[in-house]
């Protein structure tokens, strides 16, 4: 029974700390939200500018390397 009472006391302590610091955390969220959004937009634009064209080229070259093989090859089509 003592362990249950200790657990309830610990829960009340944590609840008190949460209630005490909740306004501080909410203020920090409001403070950092525009900064994080700005950084995320900057990273997205940088990715689209630097990485995406390279990935598209890689995908196209990968697709082109299989253009005339497998079911797309002339020999496969002639077999029917």
């Amino acid at each position: 029974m003592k362990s249950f009472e200790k657990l309830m006391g610990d829960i009340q302590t944590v609840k008190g700390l949460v209630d005490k610091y909740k306004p501080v955390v909410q203020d920090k969220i409001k403070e950092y939200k525009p900064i994080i959004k700005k950084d995320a937009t900057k990273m997205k634009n940088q990715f689209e500018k630097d990485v995406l064209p390279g990935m598209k080229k890689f995908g196209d070259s990968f697709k082109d390397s299989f253009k005339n093989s497998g079911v797309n090859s002339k020999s496969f089509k002639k077999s029917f």
Side-chain angles (χ1 to χ4, degrees):
M1 200 64 179
K2 284 187 178 184
S3 60
F4 179 74
E5 290 171 5
K6 183 177 181 330
L7 175 65
M8 290 303 293
D10 291 345
I11 290 172
Q12 291 300 323
T13 303
V14 170
K15 186 177 181 321
L17 288 170
V18 168
D19 291 341
K20 179 180 177 182
Y21 289 106
K22 187 174 183 176
V24 175
V25 172
Q26 293 298 328
D27 290 344
K28 290 296 178 184
I29 289 172
K30 287 178 185 174
E31 179 183 340
Y32 285 107
K33 192 172 186 175
I35 297 169
I36 292 170
K37 187 171 183 170
K38 180 180 161 191
D39 287 348
T41 303
K42 183 178 175 184
M43 286 177 60
K44 177 182 166 268
N45 292 340
Q46 193 70 25
F47 174 83
E48 288 174 347
K49 184 176 123 188
D50 294 340
V51 179
L52 201 57
M55 290 179 73
K56 285 182 180 179
K57 284 181 187 176
F58 174 75
D60 289 342
S61 69
F62 186 78
K63 182 175 68 173
D64 291 344
S65 67
F66 290 101
K67 186 187 289 186
N68 295 319
S69 62
V71 294
N72 296 324
S73 67
K74 290 180 184 177
S75 61
F76 183 81
K77 289 177 182 176
K78 287 181 182 178
S79 66
F80 288 102

